[in-house]
Amino acid sequence: MAGKVIILCAPSGSGKTTLAKHLLSIKELNLRFSVSATTRKRRDGETDGLDYNFLSIDEFKNRIHNNEFVEYEEVYYNIFYGTLKSEIESLITNHNIIFDVDVVGALSLKQYFSSKSLTVFINPPSIGELENRLRRRKNNSEEDLKERLDKAEKEMEMKDKFDQIIINKDLNISKDEILSVVKGFLNK
Ligand code: 5GP
């Protein structure tokens, strides 16, 4: 079953990272996380090379220029995120890959991998709850918060373009739900 692709997409603060980590902890799925490149600042608790490859804007733009990305996006103003070809080439031969990207990135990756991929949208229970979660994170300024909430609303409008939608009200239920969807796809 190696060589299949799970593309997770969800507004920032929707619980997606926890769900991705849950899937990665299940050995039989043989999943590896595609570490994206980004120009945003590293948050407390994040490790360069594990959570993201943190690049300067100049480095990122150089790599765009050299055609090194499968896809990239200016997700927030002047903050770039992208999937490097080198990252997936080394993983795909022997593993399934899981991606955590924004809506535009998810739809680009779906086009790239087509039937080998499954797109899953994680919907927060409500915008109010999403705001609470982002405020608890405390890493964001008011301005960042507003930008993230605006983007979340736009992303939620696109959820019907995904193969599967999971409403993340209760993390434990969502963990079971996503596991069953992913297992079903990988074993197909
Ligand atoms: P955060 O800053 O909260 O880690 O991520 C912000 C947004 O960027 C999230 O929606 C995340 O999924 C998205 N993102 C992370 N990596 C990539 C990537 O490689 N490509 C794209 N298009 N979006 C990404």
Side-chain angles (χ1 to χ4, degrees):
M1 74 180 182
K4 287 191 174 179
V5 167
I6 308 296
I7 304 162
L8 284 194
C9 183
S12 182
S14 58
K16 169 185 47 168
T17 309
T18 313
L19 293 176
K21 287 195 173 147
H22 175 58
L23 293 174
L24 285 162
S25 75
I26 315 273
K27 294 277 170 295
E28 63 166 284
L29 299 180
N30 188 24
L31 277 170
R32 294 289 181 281
F33 181 63
S34 164
V35 179
S36 296
T38 184
T39 63
R40 88 146 155 71
K41 287 204 195 84
R42 196 173 57 77
R43 292 187 192 129
D44 290 348
E46 286 181 332
T47 308
D48 192 14
L50 272 185
D51 297 287
Y52 281 108
N53 291 308
F54 293 96
L55 302 181
S56 67
I57 296 251
D58 283 350
E59 269 177 291
F60 201 102
K61 288 194 171 160
N62 237 336
R63 288 172 182 244
I64 297 175
H65 181 75
N66 294 335
N67 197 22
E68 291 181 41
F69 287 101
V70 180
E71 64 79 36
Y72 69 89
E73 274 299 305
E74 185 177 359
V75 174
Y76 304 109
Y77 176 68
N78 225 4
I79 304 185
F80 291 82
Y81 294 79
T83 306
L84 287 163
K85 289 179 186 165
S86 56
E87 177 70 22
I88 50 178
E89 275 161 9
S90 59
L91 291 177
I92 195 100
T93 330
N94 295 317
H95 307 98
N96 299 307
I97 306 185
I98 185 162
F99 289 89
D100 167 350
V101 292
D102 81 332
V103 169
V104 180
L107 300 177
S108 305
L109 289 171
K110 178 81 197 175
Q111 249 185 350
Y112 186 83
F113 291 107
S114 65
S115 61
K116 276 168 65 176
S117 62
L118 177 79
T119 51
V120 184
F121 192 87
I122 317 290
N123 208 60
S126 67
I127 283 283
E129 177 53 27
L130 190 68
E131 180 169 352
N132 291 339
R133 290 185 193 176
L134 287 173
R135 284 193 186 281
R136 276 198 297 262
R137 199 185 261 174
K138 293 199 176 106
N139 282 74
N140 304 302
S141 66
E142 258 326 287
E143 201 182 319
D144 285 343
L145 190 94
K146 191 175 172 324
E147 197 179 14
R148 280 170 188 264
L149 288 175
D150 284 350
K151 185 172 167 69
E153 278 188 284
K154 292 205 187 83
E155 291 202 315
M156 283 156 73
E157 284 167 15
M158 309 268 282
K159 63 178 181 298
D160 292 336
K161 295 192 181 298
F162 285 71
D163 299 323
Q164 296 283 341
I165 302 171
I166 289 179
I167 312 280
N168 187 17
K169 276 203 196 103
D170 176 307
L171 207 49
N172 284 326
I173 296 176
S174 298
K175 278 183 181 171
D176 291 345
E177 214 177 321
I178 200 162
L179 180 57
S180 119
V181 161
V182 166
K183 255 191 189 162
F185 174 73
L186 293 181
N187 292 328
K188 209 162 48 180

